[in-house]
mmCIF file of all heavy atoms in Angstrom:
data_model
loop_
_atom_site.group_PDB
_atom_site.id
_atom_site.type_symbol
_atom_site.label_atom_id
_atom_site.label_comp_id
_atom_site.label_asym_id
_atom_site.label_seq_id
_atom_site.Cartn_x
_atom_site.Cartn_y
_atom_site.Cartn_z
ATOM 1 N N ILE A 1577 -12.364 7.809 -26.850
ATOM 2 C CA ILE A 1577 -12.844 8.109 -28.260
ATOM 3 C C ILE A 1577 -14.423 7.912 -28.198
ATOM 4 O O ILE A 1577 -14.977 6.938 -27.674
ATOM 5 C CB ILE A 1577 -12.281 7.033 -29.212
ATOM 6 C CG1 ILE A 1577 -10.723 7.184 -29.241
ATOM 7 C CG2 ILE A 1577 -12.856 7.131 -30.567
ATOM 8 C CD1 ILE A 1577 -10.074 6.224 -30.220
ATOM 9 N N THR A 1578 -15.044 9.000 -28.734
ATOM 10 C CA THR A 1578 -16.528 9.000 -28.683
ATOM 11 C C THR A 1578 -17.210 8.931 -30.016
ATOM 12 O O THR A 1578 -16.571 9.358 -31.063
ATOM 13 C CB THR A 1578 -16.920 10.264 -27.955
ATOM 14 O OG1 THR A 1578 -16.430 11.399 -28.535
ATOM 15 C CG2 THR A 1578 -16.627 10.214 -26.541
ATOM 16 N N ALA A 1579 -18.410 8.552 -30.083
ATOM 17 C CA ALA A 1579 -19.259 8.512 -31.266
ATOM 18 C C ALA A 1579 -19.922 9.841 -31.368
ATOM 19 O O ALA A 1579 -19.868 10.672 -30.459
ATOM 20 C CB ALA A 1579 -20.317 7.393 -31.244
ATOM 21 N N TRP A 1580 -20.609 10.083 -32.522
ATOM 22 C CA TRP A 1580 -21.232 11.405 -32.790
ATOM 23 C C TRP A 1580 -22.576 11.627 -32.170
ATOM 24 O O TRP A 1580 -23.156 12.736 -32.177
ATOM 25 C CB TRP A 1580 -21.284 11.735 -34.261
ATOM 26 C CG TRP A 1580 -21.596 10.635 -35.222
ATOM 27 C CD1 TRP A 1580 -20.739 9.953 -35.901
ATOM 28 C CD2 TRP A 1580 -22.897 10.145 -35.478
ATOM 29 N NE1 TRP A 1580 -21.437 9.005 -36.659
ATOM 30 C CE2 TRP A 1580 -22.689 9.134 -36.422
ATOM 31 C CE3 TRP A 1580 -24.126 10.408 -34.990
ATOM 32 C CZ2 TRP A 1580 -23.783 8.393 -36.870
ATOM 33 C CZ3 TRP A 1580 -25.311 9.713 -35.529
ATOM 34 C CH2 TRP A 1580 -25.070 8.688 -36.410
ATOM 35 N N ASN A 1581 -23.176 10.556 -31.585
ATOM 36 C CA ASN A 1581 -24.605 10.771 -31.246
ATOM 37 C C ASN A 1581 -24.920 11.580 -30.005
ATOM 38 O O ASN A 1581 -25.832 12.302 -29.926
ATOM 39 C CB ASN A 1581 -25.411 9.435 -31.273
ATOM 40 C CG ASN A 1581 -24.803 8.474 -30.312
ATOM 41 O OD1 ASN A 1581 -23.639 8.497 -30.027
ATOM 42 N ND2 ASN A 1581 -25.625 7.547 -29.880
ATOM 43 N N LYS A 1604 -10.675 12.064 -28.067
ATOM 44 C CA LYS A 1604 -10.802 12.188 -29.624
ATOM 45 C C LYS A 1604 -12.303 12.038 -29.901
ATOM 46 O O LYS A 1604 -12.803 11.047 -29.911
ATOM 47 C CB LYS A 1604 -9.998 11.027 -30.250
ATOM 48 C CG LYS A 1604 -9.516 11.225 -31.652
ATOM 49 C CD LYS A 1604 -10.528 11.614 -32.606
ATOM 50 C CE LYS A 1604 -11.168 10.516 -33.391
ATOM 51 N NZ LYS A 1604 -12.274 10.974 -34.255
ATOM 52 N N SER A 1606 -15.667 12.464 -32.383
ATOM 53 C CA SER A 1606 -15.950 12.029 -33.740
ATOM 54 C C SER A 1606 -15.669 13.263 -34.661
ATOM 55 O O SER A 1606 -15.922 14.426 -34.304
ATOM 56 C CB SER A 1606 -17.461 11.640 -33.917
ATOM 57 O OG SER A 1606 -17.775 11.661 -35.307
ATOM 58 N N GLU A 1607 -15.133 12.931 -35.789
ATOM 59 C CA GLU A 1607 -14.915 14.050 -36.789
ATOM 60 C C GLU A 1607 -16.094 14.949 -37.117
ATOM 61 O O GLU A 1607 -16.010 16.005 -37.458
ATOM 62 C CB GLU A 1607 -14.394 13.330 -38.131
ATOM 63 C CG GLU A 1607 -15.526 12.746 -38.924
ATOM 64 C CD GLU A 1607 -15.084 11.820 -40.037
ATOM 65 O OE1 GLU A 1607 -14.503 10.693 -39.791
ATOM 66 O OE2 GLU A 1607 -15.330 12.197 -41.203
ATOM 67 N N GLY A 1635 -9.881 15.305 -35.512
ATOM 68 C CA GLY A 1635 -9.590 14.885 -36.816
ATOM 69 C C GLY A 1635 -10.245 13.543 -37.138
ATOM 70 O O GLY A 1635 -11.089 13.080 -36.419
ATOM 71 N N TYR A 1636 -9.745 12.882 -38.212
ATOM 72 C CA TYR A 1636 -10.339 11.635 -38.667
ATOM 73 C C TYR A 1636 -9.928 10.504 -37.814
ATOM 74 O O TYR A 1636 -8.761 10.445 -37.473
ATOM 75 C CB TYR A 1636 -9.999 11.374 -40.136
ATOM 76 C CG TYR A 1636 -10.584 12.328 -41.077
ATOM 77 C CD1 TYR A 1636 -9.772 13.085 -41.973
ATOM 78 C CD2 TYR A 1636 -12.000 12.469 -41.187
ATOM 79 C CE1 TYR A 1636 -10.331 13.961 -42.871
ATOM 80 C CE2 TYR A 1636 -12.625 13.389 -42.058
ATOM 81 C CZ TYR A 1636 -11.698 14.108 -42.833
ATOM 82 O OH TYR A 1636 -12.298 14.968 -43.800
ATOM 83 N N GLY A 1637 -10.797 9.516 -37.567
ATOM 84 C CA GLY A 1637 -10.554 8.374 -36.850
ATOM 85 C C GLY A 1637 -9.346 7.562 -37.393
ATOM 86 O O GLY A 1637 -8.396 7.134 -36.723
ATOM 87 N N GLY A 1641 -7.007 9.250 -34.750
ATOM 88 C CA GLY A 1641 -7.515 8.200 -33.874
ATOM 89 C C GLY A 1641 -6.622 6.925 -33.951
ATOM 90 O O GLY A 1641 -6.156 6.384 -32.901
ATOM 91 N N GLU A 1642 -6.279 6.560 -35.179
ATOM 92 C CA GLU A 1642 -5.412 5.387 -35.323
ATOM 93 C C GLU A 1642 -4.063 5.496 -34.553
ATOM 94 O O GLU A 1642 -3.482 4.630 -33.968
ATOM 95 C CB GLU A 1642 -5.197 5.088 -36.840
ATOM 96 C CG GLU A 1642 -4.456 3.890 -37.170
ATOM 97 C CD GLU A 1642 -5.246 2.600 -36.910
ATOM 98 O OE1 GLU A 1642 -6.531 2.601 -37.050
ATOM 99 O OE2 GLU A 1642 -4.641 1.614 -36.534
ATOM 100 N N ILE A 1645 -4.614 5.109 -30.801
ATOM 101 C CA ILE A 1645 -4.838 3.796 -30.145
ATOM 102 C C ILE A 1645 -3.581 2.924 -30.263
ATOM 103 O O ILE A 1645 -3.521 1.897 -29.601
ATOM 104 C CB ILE A 1645 -6.062 3.097 -30.830
ATOM 105 C CG1 ILE A 1645 -5.897 2.885 -32.304
ATOM 106 C CG2 ILE A 1645 -7.330 3.843 -30.512
ATOM 107 C CD1 ILE A 1645 -7.041 2.100 -32.936
ATOM 108 N N PHE A 1655 -13.527 3.376 -25.567
ATOM 109 C CA PHE A 1655 -14.128 3.597 -26.886
ATOM 110 C C PHE A 1655 -15.642 3.473 -27.003
ATOM 111 O O PHE A 1655 -16.115 2.532 -26.415
ATOM 112 C CB PHE A 1655 -13.406 2.594 -27.869
ATOM 113 C CG PHE A 1655 -14.088 2.704 -29.241
ATOM 114 C CD1 PHE A 1655 -13.536 3.520 -30.162
ATOM 115 C CD2 PHE A 1655 -15.096 1.812 -29.591
ATOM 116 C CE1 PHE A 1655 -14.099 3.555 -31.523
ATOM 117 C CE2 PHE A 1655 -15.567 1.866 -30.856
ATOM 118 C CZ PHE A 1655 -15.039 2.711 -31.861
ATOM 119 N N THR A 1656 -16.338 4.435 -27.608
ATOM 120 C CA THR A 1656 -17.616 4.217 -27.951
ATOM 121 C C THR A 1656 -17.839 4.394 -29.477
ATOM 122 O O THR A 1656 -17.377 5.363 -30.010
ATOM 123 C CB THR A 1656 -18.563 5.265 -27.261
ATOM 124 O OG1 THR A 1656 -18.517 5.067 -25.831
ATOM 125 C CG2 THR A 1656 -20.024 5.095 -27.669
ATOM 126 N N GLY A 1657 -18.483 3.353 -30.109
ATOM 127 C CA GLY A 1657 -18.580 3.476 -31.573
ATOM 128 C C GLY A 1657 -19.210 2.238 -32.061
ATOM 129 O O GLY A 1657 -19.760 1.342 -31.345
ATOM 130 N N GLY A 1658 -19.046 2.005 -33.324
ATOM 131 C CA GLY A 1658 -19.545 0.810 -34.001
ATOM 132 C C GLY A 1658 -18.765 -0.388 -33.680
ATOM 133 O O GLY A 1658 -17.571 -0.391 -33.320
ATOM 134 N N THR A 1661 -15.447 -0.936 -35.973
ATOM 135 C CA THR A 1661 -14.317 -0.056 -35.474
ATOM 136 C C THR A 1661 -13.808 -0.606 -34.027
ATOM 137 O O THR A 1661 -12.757 -0.600 -33.736
ATOM 138 C CB THR A 1661 -14.699 1.381 -35.279
ATOM 139 O OG1 THR A 1661 -15.545 1.689 -36.388
ATOM 140 C CG2 THR A 1661 -13.435 2.332 -35.260
ATOM 141 N N HIS A 1664 -11.482 -3.373 -34.326
ATOM 142 C CA HIS A 1664 -10.218 -2.868 -34.770
ATOM 143 C C HIS A 1664 -9.495 -2.230 -33.561
ATOM 144 O O HIS A 1664 -8.292 -2.479 -33.417
ATOM 145 C CB HIS A 1664 -10.398 -1.927 -35.955
ATOM 146 C CG HIS A 1664 -9.138 -1.257 -36.375
ATOM 147 N ND1 HIS A 1664 -8.122 -1.851 -36.994
ATOM 148 C CD2 HIS A 1664 -8.730 0.005 -36.114
ATOM 149 C CE1 HIS A 1664 -7.194 -1.029 -37.219
ATOM 150 N NE2 HIS A 1664 -7.505 0.094 -36.592
ATOM 151 N N GLU A 1679 -17.773 0.261 -25.856
ATOM 152 C CA GLU A 1679 -19.216 0.465 -25.843
ATOM 153 C C GLU A 1679 -19.638 0.476 -27.329
ATOM 154 O O GLU A 1679 -19.388 1.500 -27.995
ATOM 155 C CB GLU A 1679 -19.559 1.761 -25.085
ATOM 156 C CG GLU A 1679 -19.232 1.737 -23.710
ATOM 157 C CD GLU A 1679 -20.201 0.908 -22.821
ATOM 158 O OE1 GLU A 1679 -21.138 0.320 -23.432
ATOM 159 O OE2 GLU A 1679 -19.979 0.875 -21.611
ATOM 160 N N LEU A 1680 -20.334 -0.624 -27.770
ATOM 161 C CA LEU A 1680 -20.472 -0.721 -29.179
ATOM 162 C C LEU A 1680 -22.010 -0.698 -29.622
ATOM 163 O O LEU A 1680 -22.804 -0.193 -28.795
ATOM 164 C CB LEU A 1680 -19.809 -2.055 -29.724
ATOM 165 C CG LEU A 1680 -18.347 -2.158 -29.203
ATOM 166 C CD1 LEU A 1680 -17.699 -3.442 -29.649
ATOM 167 C CD2 LEU A 1680 -17.563 -0.902 -29.745
ATOM 168 N N GLY A 1681 -22.258 -1.253 -30.714
ATOM 169 C CA GLY A 1681 -23.659 -1.113 -31.272
ATOM 170 C C GLY A 1681 -24.693 -2.115 -30.669
ATOM 171 O O GLY A 1681 -24.341 -2.925 -29.752
ATOM 172 N N CYS A 1713 -27.520 3.938 -29.450
ATOM 173 C CA CYS A 1713 -26.928 2.536 -29.450
ATOM 174 C C CYS A 1713 -28.005 1.618 -28.897
ATOM 175 O O CYS A 1713 -28.028 0.468 -29.204
ATOM 176 C CB CYS A 1713 -25.697 2.507 -28.647
ATOM 177 S SG CYS A 1713 -25.892 3.292 -26.989
ATOM 178 N N GLU A 1814 -27.386 -3.415 -37.353
ATOM 179 C CA GLU A 1814 -27.716 -2.146 -36.726
ATOM 180 C C GLU A 1814 -27.890 -1.118 -37.881
ATOM 181 O O GLU A 1814 -27.043 -0.957 -38.697
ATOM 182 C CB GLU A 1814 -26.637 -1.684 -35.780
ATOM 183 C CG GLU A 1814 -26.948 -0.369 -35.124
ATOM 184 C CD GLU A 1814 -25.847 0.089 -34.216
ATOM 185 O OE1 GLU A 1814 -24.645 0.119 -34.671
ATOM 186 O OE2 GLU A 1814 -26.110 0.389 -33.065
ATOM 187 N N PHE A 1816 -29.153 2.203 -37.082
ATOM 188 C CA PHE A 1816 -28.918 3.526 -36.434
ATOM 189 C C PHE A 1816 -29.666 4.671 -37.093
ATOM 190 O O PHE A 1816 -29.125 5.658 -37.533
ATOM 191 C CB PHE A 1816 -27.336 3.750 -36.519
ATOM 192 C CG PHE A 1816 -26.816 4.407 -35.278
ATOM 193 C CD1 PHE A 1816 -26.972 3.941 -33.999
ATOM 194 C CD2 PHE A 1816 -26.053 5.661 -35.372
ATOM 195 C CE1 PHE A 1816 -26.494 4.520 -32.890
ATOM 196 C CE2 PHE A 1816 -25.544 6.278 -34.253
ATOM 197 C CZ PHE A 1816 -25.795 5.685 -33.007
ATOM 198 N N LEU A 1842 -26.950 -5.322 -26.157
ATOM 199 C CA LEU A 1842 -26.775 -4.081 -25.454
ATOM 200 C C LEU A 1842 -27.884 -3.782 -24.463
ATOM 201 O O LEU A 1842 -27.676 -3.510 -23.325
ATOM 202 C CB LEU A 1842 -26.532 -2.945 -26.397
ATOM 203 C CG LEU A 1842 -26.061 -1.613 -25.723
ATOM 204 C CD1 LEU A 1842 -24.751 -1.769 -25.036
ATOM 205 C CD2 LEU A 1842 -25.995 -0.479 -26.796
ATOM 206 N N PHE A 1880 -23.560 0.339 -17.204
ATOM 207 C CA PHE A 1880 -23.979 0.340 -18.579
ATOM 208 C C PHE A 1880 -22.984 -0.297 -19.417
ATOM 209 O O PHE A 1880 -21.760 0.115 -19.323
ATOM 210 C CB PHE A 1880 -24.279 1.753 -19.040
ATOM 211 C CG PHE A 1880 -24.789 1.853 -20.455
ATOM 212 C CD1 PHE A 1880 -26.054 1.549 -20.750
ATOM 213 C CD2 PHE A 1880 -23.953 2.142 -21.511
ATOM 214 C CE1 PHE A 1880 -26.595 1.646 -22.014
ATOM 215 C CE2 PHE A 1880 -24.392 2.220 -22.789
ATOM 216 C CZ PHE A 1880 -25.796 2.001 -23.110
HETATM 217 P P1 NAP B 168 -17.626 4.656 -35.477
HETATM 218 O O1 NAP B 168 -17.577 4.937 -36.944
HETATM 219 O O2 NAP B 168 -17.119 3.323 -34.960
HETATM 220 O O3 NAP B 168 -16.689 5.786 -34.819
HETATM 221 C C1 NAP B 168 -16.508 5.906 -33.380
HETATM 222 C C2 NAP B 168 -15.373 6.771 -33.076
HETATM 223 O O4 NAP B 168 -14.191 6.065 -33.505
HETATM 224 C C3 NAP B 168 -15.304 8.069 -33.846
HETATM 225 O O5 NAP B 168 -14.747 9.038 -33.017
HETATM 226 C C4 NAP B 168 -14.343 7.754 -34.971
HETATM 227 O O6 NAP B 168 -13.755 8.840 -35.504
HETATM 228 C C5 NAP B 168 -13.367 6.855 -34.286
HETATM 229 N N1 NAP B 168 -12.601 6.023 -35.140
HETATM 230 C C6 NAP B 168 -12.849 5.553 -36.420
HETATM 231 N N2 NAP B 168 -11.869 4.809 -36.892
HETATM 232 C C7 NAP B 168 -10.907 4.859 -35.950
HETATM 233 C C8 NAP B 168 -9.562 4.223 -35.895
HETATM 234 N N3 NAP B 168 -9.112 3.493 -36.885
HETATM 235 N N4 NAP B 168 -8.872 4.366 -34.787
HETATM 236 C C9 NAP B 168 -9.365 5.083 -33.786
HETATM 237 N N5 NAP B 168 -10.595 5.750 -33.791
HETATM 238 C C10 NAP B 168 -11.325 5.571 -34.867
HETATM 239 O O7 NAP B 168 -19.036 4.966 -34.834
HETATM 240 P P2 NAP B 168 -19.981 6.169 -35.071
HETATM 241 O O8 NAP B 168 -20.591 5.988 -36.483
HETATM 242 O O9 NAP B 168 -19.285 7.445 -34.800
HETATM 243 O O10 NAP B 168 -21.133 5.932 -34.007
HETATM 244 C C11 NAP B 168 -22.171 5.064 -34.225
HETATM 245 C C12 NAP B 168 -21.919 3.709 -33.455
HETATM 246 O O11 NAP B 168 -21.595 4.015 -32.083
HETATM 247 C C13 NAP B 168 -23.138 2.865 -33.475
HETATM 248 O O12 NAP B 168 -22.741 1.550 -33.744
HETATM 249 C C14 NAP B 168 -23.659 2.970 -32.043
HETATM 250 O O13 NAP B 168 -24.444 1.874 -31.666
HETATM 251 C C15 NAP B 168 -22.431 3.106 -31.360
HETATM 252 N N6 NAP B 168 -22.637 3.740 -30.008
HETATM 253 C C16 NAP B 168 -22.519 2.891 -28.936
HETATM 254 C C17 NAP B 168 -22.792 3.419 -27.598
HETATM 255 C C18 NAP B 168 -22.688 2.631 -26.463
HETATM 256 O O14 NAP B 168 -22.609 3.205 -25.346
HETATM 257 N N7 NAP B 168 -22.679 1.271 -26.549
HETATM 258 C C19 NAP B 168 -23.194 4.778 -27.466
HETATM 259 C C20 NAP B 168 -23.305 5.523 -28.676
HETATM 260 C C21 NAP B 168 -23.001 5.015 -29.842
HETATM 261 P P3 NAP B 168 -14.317 9.486 -36.801
HETATM 262 O O15 NAP B 168 -15.723 9.860 -36.641
HETATM 263 O O16 NAP B 168 -13.534 10.730 -37.008
HETATM 264 O O17 NAP B 168 -14.107 8.551 -37.962
#
Side-chain angles (χ1 to χ4, degrees):
I1577 298 180
T1578 53
W1580 38 258
N1581 58 336
K1604 205 307 269 175
S1606 165
E1607 73 194 69
Y1636 294 121
E1642 187 69 31
I1645 61 173
F1655 173 86
T1656 297
T1661 321
H1664 172 72
E1679 295 287 358
L1680 310 178
C1713 51
E1814 186 184 45
F1816 217 57
L1842 192 59
F1880 180 80

